[in-house]
Amino acid sequence: MGNNLQYELNDDLLLSSLAAGDSKALSFIYKTIYPTVEKMVFKMNGSTDDAYDVFQDAVTILYEKAKSNSLHLSCKFSTYLISVAKHLWLKKLSKK
């Protein structure tokens, strides 16, 4: 079983791999979740740069929480990451 399939099937593995700084996990996150965040930001009048910045910030937040063992998911990893990105984008919009 390849790493991508393992990550797809196991959010806990994805989270622990992210915390360990696994570049394959990070690559998987960008390939599978970034497009959804980009579409969301575009629909809310953002640019590609905005989407990238928000996504990077959201991944950093998850990385820090995963590394400190303070994140226990009660939903899918992708759902959580997208909701963090959405919150960050709405916060950024409200400051404009």
Side-chain angles (χ1 to χ4, degrees):
M1 188 182 306
N3 277 348
N4 284 352
L5 184 56
Q6 287 176 343
Y7 295 142
E8 203 170 305
L9 297 175
N10 190 335
D11 284 345
D12 290 332
L13 175 62
L14 184 57
L15 194 57
S16 64
S17 296
L18 176 64
D22 183 347
S23 62
K24 289 180 183 177
L26 196 55
S27 178
F28 176 81
I29 291 167
Y30 273 86
K31 287 178 187 173
T32 60
I33 304 172
Y34 175 75
T36 303
V37 172
E38 185 178 50
K39 286 177 192 172
M40 175 197 64
V41 171
F42 283 168
K43 285 181 182 178
M44 291 191 238
N45 301 317
S47 67
T48 301
D49 288 340
D50 292 328
Y52 181 79
D53 290 345
V54 164
F55 191 76
Q56 185 66 36
D57 290 346
V59 169
T60 300
I61 289 168
L62 260 68
Y63 168 77
E64 290 171 356
K65 287 183 175 283
K67 193 142 176 88
S68 69
N69 246 358
S70 65
L71 179 61
H72 304 285
L73 295 175
S74 60
C75 62
K76 288 187 60 137
F77 180 90
S78 59
T79 302
Y80 190 84
L81 180 55
I82 292 165
S83 64
V84 169
K86 183 176 182 179
H87 175 76
L88 291 171
W89 177 241
L90 292 173
K91 188 174 177 181
K92 187 174 182 177
L93 280 178
S94 72
K95 290 182 179 181
K96 285 187 175 183

